[in-house]
Amino acid sequence: MARPPRSALESPATVAAASDTPVLELRGITKRFPGVLANDHVDLDLRRGEVHALLGENGAGKSTLMNILYGLYRPDEGEILLNGKPAEFTSPHGAIAAGIGMVHQHFMLIPVMTVAENIVLASEPRRNGVLLDTAAAERRVRELAEQFSFHIDPHARVQDITVGQQQRVEILKALYRRADILILDEPTAVLTPQEAVELFEILRRLVADGMSVIFISHKLNEVLDIADRITVLRRGRKIDTIPREGATEAGLARMMVGREVLFRVDKQATTPGGRLLQVDDLHVRDERGLETVRGVSFDVRAGEIVAIAGVDGNGQTQLIDAITGLQKPDSGHVVVAGEDLTGGSAHSFLEHGVGHIPEDRHRRGLVLEFTLAENLVLHDYAKEPYATRGFLHPKRIVEAARGLLKEFDVRGGTPETRASALSGGNQQKVVVAREVARDPKVLIAAQPTRGLDVGAIEFVHRRLVEERNEGRAVLLVSLELDEVLSLADRILVIYEGQIVGQYDPSVSEEELGIAMTGGAREAVA
Amino acid sequence: MSSTEPEQPQGGEPGGYAPSVAERLAFYQRAGGIITPIITAVIAFFMGGLVVLATGHNPFKTYRAIFDGTGLNWFFHFGHHHITLPFTHTRVFFWWDTNANANASYNLSQTLLLTTTLILTGLAVAFAFRCGLFNIGGQGQYITGAIVAVWVGSSWAGMAKGLHVFLAILLACLAGAAIAAVAGFLKAAVGAHEVITTIMLNWIAYWVGSYALGRGGPLQNKVDISVPVSSDVVKSGKLPTFWGNPELQALHVGFFIALGALVVFWLMLNRTTLGYQVRAVGFNPEAARYGGINVARNYVYAMAISGVFAGLGGAMDILGWQYRLGVLDIQVSNIGFIGIAVALLGRNTAVGVGLAALLFGALVNGTSTRGLDPSVFPPTLAGNLTLMIQALVLLFVGADVLVLAIWSSRKKIGLGRRAASPPSPEGAAT
Amino acid sequence: MKKVRFAAPLAALATVAVVAVALAGTGAAAPAKKQATPFKAGLVSDVGRFNDKGFNQNQLVGLKYAQAHIPGLQISALESHSAGEYLPNFASLARKGFNIIIGAGFLLANQEATVAKQFPNTKFAITDYTAFIPPFSGKLKNVEGLTYATQENSYLVGCLAGLMVKQKGGSQTIGVVGGVKIPPVDTFLAGYQAGAAKCDPGIKVLVGYSQDFIDQAKCKTVAQNQIDQGSQVEFNVAGPCGLGTLDAAKQAGIWGIGVDVDQSYLGSHILTSAVKRVDTGVYLAIKGAQNGQFKGGADLVFNLKNAGVGLGKISPNVPASFLKKIAGLRAQIVAGKIKPPTKVK
């Protein structure tokens, strides 16, 4: 992964520890689930006024550790010290009362209630003992928001505000309950890059004010950006705690994964061949009837990776759906290997050699209740050798799956394992294996590394480049700038449903970033 | 990744993502396995026992009477017996008395008659369930099949026996499929919820049947026009019986047809491309669509196949033992609705549906007033006891996710107790 | 509905007083002889079940009455929850050696005939169904039909209706609404016509059919038409549908006459009811079978003489002289001097 956009945001100074006693200390925490040792004698200490990153691959035990701290689980062994005194939380109420606030990945907000109501929920200011004092609630929320320069309207309903603002509501909720330790569980997973930058600014203000933050992540760049110290977990064990100074992405990745990780994919120059995917003046509406793809044209040649970069919600989803047959475009054409498939079914696109790694593997890419073998034939279950005249050949399906699982290094399951039992990275490998093994002419990869850890990202990137080298046309749609820059042969920027620029991979992040936020619109038009 | 260390399964760490309702149900289904349905049934019978106790009767004696009423005691006539060897007059020792209790064998044959139909109405619900559809219309599909079977079976006399039965069954299945497919089509075409449409179709079948068999209706018998009942199924339209006096509602070969339907159900779901599609749509329609499966078409297919099972159930009853259909038969029948309970308790699997159908068949037959001594149970009480125990099982079947939740929270509390020994001032503060 | 439930057993006693035929007297007359093997009587309900507050329930009342009044009698009442239970219920009672098994109505005819063939030594009876038509056709010598001579009590209500109209004056017209034109309905109608003509010669009896036994609206429409034509009394011969007939009478402020059970609970507009005593029928069938008076292959007819049919509660507004007139006619019918017709004119 490339350098984080640190230049403009570098905090003035790392806040030094205010006292020698850590505000929070975990000693020898051990937690077993049936068949899994989620935490194995983990130690952690949190100093006042620091951001302490908890880094690890998916399934390394980070969330378990924090759920123990927050009173959701009980440790099988070990103890928790709060300001040097032993503490035991039987429930989140205990943790909250002790000044610990947690922002989960999935927000615990009530969409139809206002920001203020959500924040004061369960500790509402009351008038005459029973009535909710709305005015007082809003006043106190406003004071808090101003104190930490949160830009948020207490009257707004939660369902009407952005995900980034919802996250701020969660943080305000913790502050309102007078938390001085804040746990953030993969907070940037749901944010746009710009929202992530804003979040980091908020965190810096909070620690400057004496708060302590535990920041859970598997993204190296943001950990190096925000953390004062970094604790790395691997397979439930603590590997080390190191200061940010001197830490490198390569070093952290090695600690996380247990071996060297390549960040830049080796990529030889190739000469692109014929045009395998042509998109011509495509117009698509979303389910609300808004036109979100407004006249997109581009092509992808054999042996090249074309990346479509853009901030989430600029029409990428509808564009992909339209060029994979999942949605009918209003107008325009989609031509695959010379054949006009516009308006065809998903089935016809598959039959004409379009592979599609979907952006959401749980919603779309996998049937989680199916076994891996069943998932691997999701497109071809009705074809020889997997089926003859409507009857399946389970043995052949399992055998084929066995080969693919091995080839694509899917771990944690046999062909008979249910897809839901796998970690995210391995699930994504199953999806990649299925799409690549069909030998497609065009491979469409939508955010193929979302939510993956470094090892899995490296794998997916390598496969995409291999597919390109084998002469397929690869279309990469991604929100991650460094992914786009490291993989693409050509970069298209999408903004508000239109392609607003085409760039060479040598373009700078700044220039791309400006284009993605609409700055380059005029230049192209 | 070059590490050779085996990766630990990581599904155990919660908090990775929020599972959907379907995923949670699937989890419960796996986690519960066979245990939850059994616990469910045991609790239902326990509660039923309490109610029996409250009415001043002995629950053990009552359940004993119910058990004897099911005829399942037929299997327990072990001991020192003799049977006649086939084709000879030689009597030899045999460990099992095959005709010790004519009553038990008769009761058992009646239980299996009910089981036959319940398997089929249960499969009708289960198959749709596997496609993510809640088919409440098993009753209407059953009635439709029965009406068509009685029409074909009572007219068209003079046809060759095998052909006549076959045609009656085939057309009944198709009729069941047709009425069920309407709900599938409405779901596929305009998104009308199948629970609503199948309930409405139930009433359509109910009233069409009431009209057709009612006074002056096209299917009413011509012998006594005051009686709203169809003509009798002619001899060539009847299914052969194989156990019991053929004149006294003996067990017919439809029992084996139902067992065959269980096998077909399993094969169809697990060994055909159609079953693959149906399951994919049932678990995750969006992923199925992405996989190139026509989701709308599968809704129609799945409902139609469900209708085939229910329609077959109707045909089995008419051609196997009932031989005629009356307006009141339609109006008081609830075997299609019991099928919902059979499917739920049987977890929508072939084996589960088979066992649940046997349980409900035994329950319905065992709690008939025949088995409960009228001198002990006033007939009106016995009749209500029947319905009550059935209702309790249904209630707990519906609540078995709850049972599981209690079961798992018990585990959680167990862990909690162990860790909670040191007092926690912070925790106690709130 | 609750009233109906009690109406039947109460009527069992009330009618005794009104019609002056001592049911209890007949019962008491039976010799109470001790038997080595107890006599066993069974009753199988149709799917309406014994808590139907009507047809099935009244027969259960009769069975219990028999148990109370026939010394040593053992009874069993089996309820059928579905058509599938008819046959096992009959067969189960036959196997247990029941001496007489009564099916509670036409719904059970086919299954009863099947079982009767299999158990030729067991006596069977069927309520409100004649043994002369299929599936029995008079050939099954162990099945007895229990039929009701409803022309007799209908003759009496017809006479009463005629007397009331004659006394009141005005339009000398009365009406009757039958369900469907079938013999069990027409016997009521024929008796009603004849009785009215007897007591008010020249009276006009309007006859209508609703073509339904359930839908009250249909009967109400037919009744309202008749009322428009001047009908001053409306007779219901259509089961639940006929509640519409009686409702029309109430709204028009004229008399209504109930059927099958005592429907006086409906209000003061009910003149009386032509009651079919299925409870008495069950009791008498059992008693007859025990006394060797079982009529295999034929019908046991219930009439005014044996109190199998009768009148319900008569409105207190009926003059005593009319009651006397009715009692006289009853005596003549019982004596066989008057034979009311069974065919509608």
Side-chain angles (χ1 to χ4, degrees):
Chain A
M1 293 210 177
R3 308 123 324 263
R6 198 181 301 162
S7 44
L9 307 164
E10 191 71 278
S11 59
T14 309
V15 182
S19 80
D20 290 345
T21 315
V23 288
L24 176 76
E25 202 178 349
L26 302 178
R27 284 187 192 158
I29 298 290
T30 300
K31 176 73 186 173
R32 294 179 198 88
F33 290 110
V36 185
L37 187 56
N39 290 145
D40 183 6
H41 297 92
V42 176
D43 299 328
L44 182 78
D45 68 295
L46 179 67
R47 298 174 191 156
R48 182 164 306 285
E50 77 164 344
V51 176
H52 192 131
L54 197 53
L55 185 65
E57 289 189 277
N58 293 329
K62 307 178 297 264
S63 295
T64 305
L65 190 64
M66 289 305 111
N67 283 333
I68 287 171
L69 178 56
Y70 196 54
L72 285 167
Y73 294 144
R74 302 310 182 71
D76 296 334
E77 289 171 38
E79 58 176 344
I80 300 171
L81 300 180
L82 207 61
N83 295 315
K85 282 174 282 185
E88 182 97 31
F89 305 129
T90 53
S91 71
H93 289 297
I96 291 166
I100 297 174
M102 183 154 177
V103 177
H104 295 88
Q105 259 181 28
H106 300 277
F107 305 141
M108 314 284 180
L109 298 173
I110 298 167
V112 294
M113 287 168 70
T114 66
V115 168
E117 285 167 340
N118 265 288
I119 290 171
V120 302
L121 198 69
S123 48
E124 306 90 344
R126 287 172 202 278
R127 211 169 41 201
N128 306 332
V130 284
L131 297 168
L132 173 64
D133 191 343
T134 324
E138 278 169 13
R139 199 167 52 244
R140 280 162 69 177
V141 168
R142 199 183 302 278
E143 283 164 14
L144 270 177
E146 275 165 15
Q147 186 186 344
F148 296 99
S149 347
F150 284 36
H151 302 288
I152 200 154
D153 173 13
H155 297 292
R157 283 179 195 278
V158 163
Q159 62 194 9
D160 299 330
I161 62 178
T162 67
V163 171
Q165 287 175 320
Q166 289 180 9
Q167 191 173 55
R168 266 172 254 165
V169 175
E170 283 281 12
I171 295 172
L172 272 177
K173 214 159 95 179
L175 296 177
Y176 180 83
R177 293 167 179 183
R178 305 187 196 294
D180 51 15
I181 297 170
L182 188 62
I183 306 168
L184 299 161
D185 189 358
E186 310 230 356
T188 58
V190 292
L191 299 184
T192 64
Q194 181 55 38
E195 283 174 329
V197 168
E198 289 170 15
L199 170 69
F200 288 180
E201 283 173 7
I202 288 172
L203 293 184
R204 288 197 181 91
R205 279 196 292 274
L206 290 176
V207 293
D209 207 55
M211 196 145 177
S212 312
V213 175
I214 298 178
F215 184 92
I216 303 173
S217 182
H218 59 243
K219 293 185 184 166
L220 301 173
N221 54 353
E222 58 186 40
V223 163
L224 285 171
D225 189 15
I226 187 72
D228 298 300
R229 290 189 303 151
I230 302 159
T231 293
V232 180
L233 292 185
R234 186 167 83 223
R235 294 198 179 140
R237 278 193 292 272
K238 175 181 162 180
I239 303 303
D240 200 0
T241 298
I242 57 170
R244 198 252 315 271
E245 287 76 23
T248 61
E249 287 197 9
L252 288 174
R254 193 168 49 241
M255 287 166 73
M256 258 172 83
V257 182
R259 61 178 172 80
E260 291 295 337
V261 178
L262 294 172
F263 287 96
R264 275 285 182 181
V265 187
D266 280 337
K267 209 173 72 174
Q268 273 95 40
T270 56
T271 318
R275 291 193 292 179
L276 289 179
L277 175 67
Q278 283 168 267
V279 175
D280 186 23
D281 195 24
L282 203 63
H283 290 260
V284 192
R285 290 176 192 279
D286 66 7
E287 65 269 20
R288 289 170 302 172
L290 302 173
E291 187 172 277
T292 49
V293 176
R294 305 185 297 158
V296 167
S297 303
F298 64 89
D299 54 24
V300 187
R301 294 164 176 275
E304 72 167 348
I305 296 179
V306 171
I308 293 183
V311 176
D312 200 7
N314 275 287
Q316 293 101 319
T317 305
Q318 285 75 28
L319 175 64
I320 294 166
D321 282 6
I323 61 177
T324 52
L326 291 167
Q327 195 181 343
K328 302 225 184 307
D330 274 8
S331 64
H333 291 279
V334 181
V335 179
V336 175
E339 262 195 86
D340 191 340
L341 299 181
T342 313
S345 66
H347 187 72
S348 75
F349 275 84
L350 288 165
E351 290 305 294
H352 284 87
V354 176
H356 173 196
I357 300 167
E359 62 181 322
D360 188 334
R361 58 182 165 269
H362 288 160
R363 197 171 79 93
R364 206 175 245 182
L366 293 168
V367 179
L368 289 172
E369 295 85 353
F370 268 9
T371 65
L372 299 182
E374 286 173 318
N375 270 298
L376 283 167
V377 294
L378 189 59
H379 303 311
D380 294 330
Y381 62 92
K383 284 198 197 128
E384 292 281 4
Y386 306 125
T388 313
R389 283 188 293 279
F391 282 90
L392 298 170
H393 298 295
K395 276 191 189 136
R396 294 187 200 163
I397 292 173
V398 167
E399 279 318 304
R402 212 181 295 285
L404 281 176
L405 296 184
K406 194 159 180 241
E407 182 189 342
F408 285 81
D409 192 32
V410 178
R411 279 181 276 166
T414 66
E416 283 90 1
T417 309
R418 278 172 204 269
S420 55
L422 256 55
S423 68
N426 282 306
Q427 286 176 342
Q428 188 72 348
K429 284 182 191 173
V430 173
V431 175
V432 172
R434 180 181 65 216
E435 300 307 319
V436 167
R438 298 184 73 238
D439 198 11
K441 297 191 187 93
V442 178
L443 183 60
I444 295 164
Q447 302 197 43
T449 58
R450 185 157 87 170
L452 301 192
D453 51 58
V454 283
I457 289 171
E458 180 199 14
F459 175 87
V460 171
H461 285 175
R462 210 178 62 228
R463 275 319 293 216
L464 289 179
V465 171
E466 280 173 25
E467 296 310 308
R468 163 231 191 215
N469 292 345
E470 284 179 24
R472 304 188 214 288
V474 178
L475 180 68
L476 170 70
V477 179
S478 179
L479 309 178
E480 306 276 344
L481 279 187
D482 22 279
E483 180 167 273
V484 166
L485 288 168
S486 96
L487 291 178
D489 297 306
R490 275 195 290 145
I491 299 167
L492 305 173
V493 173
I494 191 168
Y495 178 73
E496 291 192 344
Q498 292 177 319
I499 302 291
V500 294
Q502 175 169 327
Y503 299 89
D504 195 73
S506 61
V507 66
S508 72
E509 275 193 19
E510 284 71 21
E511 200 178 334
L512 264 190
I514 289 165
M516 281 165 62
T517 47
R521 206 176 182 188
E522 300 307 318
V524 170
Chain B
M1 297 200 182
S2 60
S3 165
T4 49
E5 251 180 273
E7 195 167 337
Q8 286 169 347
Q10 291 165 332
E13 187 185 27
Y17 67 94
S20 71
V21 174
E23 283 172 65
R24 281 208 302 276
L25 270 174
F27 165 75
Y28 285 134
Q29 194 144 344
R30 281 201 303 282
I34 185 106
I35 301 300
T36 338
I38 289 175
I39 293 177
T40 300
V42 167
I43 293 179
F45 279 102
F46 178 75
M47 298 293 287
L50 289 184
V51 178
V52 172
L53 197 64
T55 65
H57 296 96
N58 181 333
F60 295 103
K61 280 187 183 160
T62 307
Y63 280 130
R64 177 65 207 257
I66 290 172
F67 181 76
D68 287 348
T70 65
L72 290 168
N73 53 349
W74 186 76
F75 290 107
F76 298 99
H77 288 132
F78 302 119
H80 195 84
H81 303 295
H82 289 87
I83 57 162
T84 308
L85 283 179
F87 313 114
T88 67
H89 294 285
T90 323
R91 286 182 67 78
V92 297
F93 168 79
F94 194 60
W95 50 270
W96 183 26
D97 188 359
T98 50
N99 53 4
N101 188 339
N103 220 23
S105 75
Y106 185 68
N107 283 338
L108 183 59
S109 70
Q110 297 308 304
T111 291
L112 294 181
L113 272 184
L114 277 166
T115 304
T116 300
T117 319
L118 286 174
I119 285 174
L120 294 168
T121 54
L123 288 181
V125 179
F127 196 84
F129 234 113
R130 296 297 284 269
C131 195
L133 299 169
F134 197 5
N135 177 17
I136 307 282
Q139 183 66 33
Q141 294 143 26
Y142 165 88
I143 290 173
T144 308
I147 292 169
V148 171
V150 87
W151 169 54
V152 177
S154 64
S155 45
W156 301 12
M159 205 178 271
K161 181 172 171 78
L163 184 66
H164 195 180
V165 173
F166 175 76
L167 272 182
I169 292 175
L170 180 72
L171 290 177
C173 290
L174 290 179
I179 189 172
V182 171
F185 174 77
L186 289 173
K187 168 105 177 172
V190 297
H193 200 285
E194 73 279 3
V195 167
I196 307 295
T197 53
T198 52
I199 288 174
M200 288 161 72
L201 287 164
N202 279 345
W203 286 108
I204 289 175
Y206 178 100
W207 287 114
V208 167
S210 299
Y211 159 73
L213 299 164
R215 289 185 180 83
L219 292 181
Q220 200 209 353
N221 76 86
K222 303 291 176 276
V223 178
D224 185 352
I225 56 151
S226 67
V227 181
V229 172
S230 72
S231 302
D232 282 14
V233 172
V234 298
K235 201 154 183 290
S236 61
K238 293 181 180 173
L239 284 167
T241 61
F242 66 91
W243 190 28
N245 182 341
E247 291 297 315
L248 295 181
Q249 218 160 292
L251 188 56
H252 55 87
V253 297
F255 179 63
F256 297 111
I257 295 178
L259 292 183
L262 288 173
V263 177
V264 168
F265 173 87
W266 186 87
L267 279 177
M268 203 151 49
L269 274 180
N270 296 295
R271 288 289 181 268
T272 68
T273 54
L274 177 69
Y276 181 95
Q277 293 181 14
V278 163
R279 286 184 297 132
V281 172
F283 284 132
N284 186 342
E286 188 53 34
R289 200 166 78 88
Y290 153 82
I293 293 168
N294 187 331
V295 174
R297 198 164 60 196
N298 270 283
Y299 285 145
V300 180
Y301 284 172
M303 281 307 291
I305 290 169
S306 284
V308 166
F309 285 123
L312 181 61
M316 291 300 101
D317 274 358
I318 294 299
L319 308 174
W321 59 266
Q322 201 169 334
Y323 306 141
R324 65 188 71 84
L325 187 63
V327 170
L328 257 174
D329 295 338
I330 288 177
Q331 298 187 344
V332 303
S333 165
N334 63 353
I335 199 135
F337 294 122
I338 302 178
I340 297 171
V342 167
L344 288 176
L345 188 65
R347 301 307 175 109
N348 306 311
T349 63
V351 175
V353 166
L355 292 175
L358 180 63
L359 176 74
F360 274 93
L363 191 60
V364 172
N365 195 42
T367 52
S368 71
T369 46
R370 287 187 300 288
L372 302 172
D373 186 354
S375 60
V376 180
F377 298 95
T380 40
L381 171 66
N384 292 331
L385 195 66
T386 306
L387 298 176
M388 195 195 65
I389 291 176
Q390 285 177 34
L392 280 168
V393 173
L394 279 178
L395 191 68
F396 282 97
V397 167
D400 70 346
V401 173
L402 186 76
V403 171
L404 204 80
I406 295 166
W407 185 253
S408 57
S409 74
R410 187 199 61 87
K411 278 185 197 159
K412 233 181 242 168
I413 293 160
L415 285 171
R417 230 176 264 131
R418 189 173 142 200
S421 30
S424 136
E426 285 87 358
T430 36
Chain C
M1 286 312 276
K2 198 149 194 170
K3 268 188 166 170
V4 193
R5 198 168 163 187
F6 293 118
L10 284 177
L13 303 173
T15 335
V16 170
V18 175
V19 301
V21 173
L23 181 66
T26 337
K33 53 182 171 185
K34 285 271 172 198
Q35 284 171 320
T37 45
F39 196 76
K40 297 202 265 188
L43 175 67
V44 178
S45 86
D46 67 23
V47 288
R49 302 170 58 200
F50 288 128
N51 52 6
D52 67 351
K53 301 183 170 71
F55 195 63
N56 287 287
Q57 192 167 24
N58 286 349
Q59 293 182 68
L60 182 62
V61 168
L63 184 70
K64 287 180 173 166
Y65 184 89
Q67 185 185 31
H69 290 82
I70 301 175
L73 181 75
Q74 284 190 7
I75 62 163
S76 180
L78 298 189
E79 217 173 49
S80 308
H81 295 147
S82 69
E85 288 208 80
Y86 294 158
L87 212 145
N89 280 342
F90 279 121
S92 150
L93 290 174
R95 279 218 191 78
K96 287 178 185 162
F98 273 70
N99 303 79
I100 178 147
I101 301 167
I102 300 170
F106 68 83
L107 285 173
L108 301 100
N110 280 300
Q111 286 84 353
E112 183 164 349
T114 306
V115 177
K117 274 180 210 147
Q118 299 298 312
F119 295 92
N121 297 324
T122 304
K123 295 184 181 70
F124 290 86
I126 180 161
T127 295
D128 206 13
Y129 200 90
T130 168
F132 294 109
I133 64 167
F136 309 109
S137 308
K139 288 175 196 148
L140 280 171
K141 296 301 175 195
N142 58 335
V143 181
E144 177 183 64
L146 308 178
T147 59
Y148 292 82
T150 50
Q151 72 274 19
E152 295 188 1
N153 55 348
S154 296
Y155 188 89
L156 298 184
V157 302
C159 170
L160 189 57
L163 292 172
M164 296 304 284
V165 173
K166 197 170 163 187
Q167 179 198 37
K168 185 162 181 254
S171 162
Q172 293 301 297
T173 308
I174 59 173
V176 55
V177 181
V180 176
K181 188 168 171 55
I182 50 174
V185 169
D186 273 0
T187 50
F188 279 100
L189 270 54
Y192 183 66
Q193 283 177 323
K198 167 87 179 170
C199 301
D200 184 9
I203 195 169
K204 191 175 174 193
V205 182
L206 301 171
V207 174
Y209 296 96
S210 62
Q211 306 303 339
D212 201 292
F213 285 99
I214 308 296
D215 188 355
Q216 296 189 19
K218 289 184 182 166
C219 282
K220 191 166 182 177
T221 307
V222 177
Q224 279 168 340
N225 278 336
Q226 294 178 345
I227 293 167
D228 288 346
Q229 292 171 50
S231 166
Q232 298 206 57
V233 181
E234 279 297 312
F235 183 21
N236 156 32
V237 192
C241 171
L243 292 173
T245 307
L246 299 176
D247 196 38
K250 186 177 190 176
Q251 285 178 5
I254 64 165
W255 289 111
I257 299 176
V259 77
D260 289 342
V261 294
D262 191 336
Q263 292 183 312
S264 59
Y265 66 89
L266 286 172
S268 58
H269 65 295
I270 301 299
L271 183 60
T272 184
S273 304
V275 175
K276 189 148 92 177
R277 302 294 309 277
V278 290
D279 51 345
T280 306
V282 166
Y283 166 70
L284 292 178
I286 294 168
K287 202 170 146 51
Q290 193 197 21
N291 293 340
Q293 292 158 0
F294 179 78
K295 293 182 171 180
D299 289 345
L300 183 56
V301 179
F302 297 101
N303 49 25
L304 288 175
K305 187 177 179 185
N306 59 18
V309 299
L311 299 190
K313 188 168 176 285
I314 296 174
S315 168
N317 296 330
V318 173
S321 61
F322 291 2
L323 295 180
K324 205 174 163 195
K325 168 91 176 163
I326 298 289
L329 285 176
R330 170 192 295 280
Q332 284 182 279
I333 294 170
V334 168
K337 288 174 189 156
I338 297 178
K339 289 193 191 300
T342 58
K343 296 273 186 287
V344 179
K345 276 189 280 190

